[in-house]
Amino acid sequence: MNSRPFSSIILAAILCIQFFALTVYGVHASSKLYIVYLGEKRHNDPKLVTASHYEMLTPLFGSKEEAVNSIVYSYKHGFSGFAAMLSESQAQILSEMPDVISVTPNHKFTAHTTRSWDFLGLDYNSKDNGLLQKANYGEDIIIGVIDSGIWPESESFDATGYGPAPKRWRGICETGASFGASNCSNKIIGARWYAKDMSSRDLKGEYLSPRDGNGHGTHTASTAAGKAFIF
């Protein structure tokens, strides 16, 4: 078996454990997690984006403190939005605001993997033509994967022959259980993990780190940006 890496595909792996089960102080027991999408950012400063989220929620909770406590995650870089613990009536009020595009209850999803290359219409036996060649094998591309994590020891993520990350990269390599700074490389240039306030039952079998506990994230990351194996 011969192999060659994509010329400069760079992988940013992000662990997003599949659902949230949260308890936030100051929030009513009947509250549930909702994802509120606001679309394009109105500020370049991420702090101002988050401040606008607090401002939107404060009238619903009666105080800024409770509004701040209700937010689980604030999305402030690529777009504007937040995940927050809300009652059904609060979610309904938000959904009717003109600046709100959507309010979606959080759901638990089970990951599935089967024949990804066929599903994407890719010819994995192609050496000299097809989509990969047209895309210059991902030259200088940063790919972000939101999934169950990544197994950095996989041969698909061998960093041999790769130079440093592009200067435009602003991410970090977040460490955790069985995942240290050395698990990032010139191939896996960054990693994050998210599991705020989840119960021990929901985290069973998961690593509290970007390390992949079930293989799905490793599969999808290697499909998108792994080494090309030519048989």
Side-chain angles (χ1 to χ4, degrees):
M1 181 181 72
N2 297 319
S3 64
R4 59 185 173 90
F6 291 166
S7 50
S8 293
I9 289 186
I10 301 166
L11 177 67
I14 304 173
L15 169 67
C16 184
I17 295 178
Q18 295 162 358
F19 67 102
F20 301 97
L22 303 165
T23 302
V24 181
Y25 295 108
V27 178
H28 194 273
S30 63
S31 297
K32 298 179 180 179
L33 185 66
Y34 289 84
I35 312 301
V36 181
Y37 177 52
L38 305 175
E40 187 176 351
K41 299 180 301 178
R42 296 190 177 184
H43 306 283
N44 291 325
D45 186 342
K47 293 181 180 179
L48 293 178
V49 178
T50 297
S52 70
H53 300 160
Y54 297 153
E55 183 179 354
M56 176 175 286
L57 287 172
T58 295
L60 293 180
F61 286 93
S63 73
K64 182 178 180 180
E65 180 181 4
E66 289 204 17
V68 171
N69 288 337
S70 73
I71 290 187
V72 179
Y73 290 110
S74 177
Y75 310 122
K76 52 188 179 292
H77 295 290
F79 61 92
S80 178
F82 53 86
M85 298 297 292
L86 305 168
S87 67
E88 186 176 348
S89 61
Q90 288 171 327
Q92 180 62 37
I93 292 172
L94 277 175
S95 69
E96 296 172 356
M97 292 183 177
D99 294 334
V100 174
I101 295 176
S102 64
V103 178
T104 307
N106 190 58
H107 296 285
K108 178 180 177 180
F109 295 97
T110 301
H112 296 280
T113 299
T114 176
R115 300 183 180 86
S116 297
W117 281 72
D118 295 334
F119 176 78
L120 294 171
L122 300 175
D123 180 3
Y124 40 79
N125 293 314
S126 175
K127 296 182 180 180
D128 301 314
N129 53 48
L131 178 61
L132 295 178
Q133 185 188 35
K134 292 177 182 178
N136 200 25
Y137 292 91
E139 181 76 27
D140 201 34
I141 298 298
I142 297 173
I143 299 176
V145 180
I146 303 177
D147 212 300
S148 61
I150 193 165
W151 197 264
E153 293 82 7
S154 169
E155 190 176 351
S156 290
F157 310 121
D158 180 8
T160 302
Y162 285 83
K167 292 182 179 179
R168 68 181 187 277
W169 171 245
R170 296 292 182 269
I172 66 171
C173 183
E174 187 174 12
T175 60
S178 300
F179 196 99
S182 62
N183 289 126
C184 289
S185 64
N186 288 339
K187 178 70 171 178
I188 303 174
I189 62 173
R192 300 292 298 266
W193 62 284
Y194 304 93
K196 186 176 291 186
D197 289 339
M198 291 182 66
S199 70
S200 58
R201 182 192 65 181
D202 294 326
L203 289 170
K204 186 177 181 180
E206 301 283 359
Y207 291 93
L208 296 183
S209 75
R211 183 169 289 277
D212 191 3
N214 63 44
H216 188 272
T218 299
H219 172 85
T220 54
S222 62
T223 299
K227 180 187 294 185
F229 291 90
I230 307 299
F231 295 90

